[in-house]
Amino acid sequence: MIGIIDYGMGNLFSVSKALERLDVPYKVGDRPEKISECDGYILPGVGAFPDAMKALGDHGFITFIKEKVNEGVPIYGICLGMQLLFESSEEGGQTEGLGLFPGTIVKFPGVDENGNSYKVPHMGWNRLNIHQPDKGLLNEVGEDFVYFVHSFVVQTDHPEILYATSDYHLEVPAIIGRGNLVASQFHPEKSGEPGMRLLENFCKVMVKQ
C-alpha cells in the first residue's frame, strides 16, 4: 500500500490516477495516523516552499517523514516535494527544509553566463541525462523527455545523489536519490510513459507492491 501525503499543497488527483492506472493500491492521508502503516510514501507538492513547510508541520508530517526515512521505508518526493527534502530554500527568504539531502533551493537566475536572459519558470518537456542507470528507480528509463514546471532549482555539491539531470541554461537536478529516499523535480504523473515507468519502479521495485 502506497501512502500519499496530503498536506494541502499536492496534486493528489493526478498522482492517485497514475497509481490507479498502474493497479497500485494507495491511501491518501492528511494526518500521519491515517497512513502510518503504508509500505511506501509519495510526497507531492505544488506551490511555495515556506507555505509547504508550514503545512507539513501543521499536519504533523515533519517528524513522521524523518522517522519513516530512518526506518528504511521508501519515499518518493515530486516537484516541490523533492525540494522540501533539502536543507533550505531561498524562496520567500531563507526557509529550513527537511534536511534529508544536502543542498539548498535557489531561484533560476534568468540570465545565462553570456548575459542573455531566458524564461523563468522552466516549463515544458525536457530531456533527461542519466548519471546512474543502475539504480532500481531507473529500470528501463532512458534519456527521455519529461515534464517540468518550476522556478526554483536544487543546488548541491554532492553529485553522488544525482541519478539524472536535465539542461536548462544550467544543470538541473532532475532525479535524486540515496537509499530508500528518491525524488524527481519533474512530474512523473504528467510525463507519459517514462514517468509512469518511474512510478511503477518505485511502487513495484523499491516498495515491492
Side-chain angles (χ1 to χ4, degrees), residues 62-181:
I62 291 179
T63 299
F64 176 80
I65 291 170
K66 292 180 179 181
E67 288 177 346
K68 290 298 180 181
V69 170
N70 289 335
E71 291 168 8
V73 178
I75 295 180
Y76 188 153
I78 295 176
C79 196
L80 177 60
M82 166 175 153
Q83 296 183 0
L84 295 171
L85 300 175
F86 284 82
E87 294 168 309
S88 64
S89 173
E90 68 176 26
E91 184 175 5
Q94 201 72 12
T95 303
E96 183 178 350
L98 292 170
L100 298 169
F101 283 114
T104 190
I105 312 302
V106 300
K107 189 174 178 62
F108 276 107
V111 179
D112 66 20
E113 59 186 12
N114 297 315
N116 300 312
S117 61
Y118 59 87
K119 182 180 178 181
V120 177
H122 171 207
M123 183 176 350
W125 296 84
N126 209 341
R127 187 184 294 276
L128 292 174
N129 305 313
I130 304 296
H131 293 246
Q132 301 189 52
D134 57 321
K135 299 301 182 181
L137 186 70
L138 296 177
N139 286 349
E140 298 185 16
V141 175
E143 296 196 332
D144 300 300
F145 283 87
V146 292
Y147 186 76
F148 291 86
V149 53
H150 60 120
S151 298
F152 289 78
V153 62
V154 169
Q155 187 176 77
T156 180
D157 295 325
H158 291 263
E160 72 276 6
I161 70 172
L162 299 180
Y163 287 6
T165 59
S166 191
D167 296 317
Y168 188 68
H169 304 280
L170 49 80
E171 185 178 67
V172 175
I175 305 174
I176 54 121
R178 183 170 58 195
N180 57 305
L181 185 62

Side-chain angles (χ1 to χ4, degrees), residues 1-5 15 19 24-29 34-44 64-65 68-69 71-77 180-182 199 202-209:
M1 177 74 69
I2 299 295
I4 301 177
I5 296 172
V15 173
L19 296 183
V24 171
Y26 69 91
K27 181 186 297 185
V28 178
K34 295 182 179 180
I35 51 174
S36 61
E37 300 303 319
C38 290
D39 304 298
Y41 296 90
I42 292 177
L43 175 65
F64 176 80
I65 291 170
K68 290 298 180 181
V69 170
E71 291 168 8
V73 178
I75 295 180
Y76 188 153
N180 57 305
L181 185 62
V182 296
L199 285 174
F202 174 73
C203 295
K204 297 183 178 181
V205 176
M206 292 189 67
V207 184
K208 297 180 175 61
Q209 289 290 303

Side-chain angles (χ1 to χ4, degrees), residues 189-201:
E189 77 280 11
K190 297 181 179 180
S191 294
E193 185 177 343
M196 292 298 288
R197 198 172 300 123
L198 279 168
L199 285 174
E200 184 172 30
N201 287 342

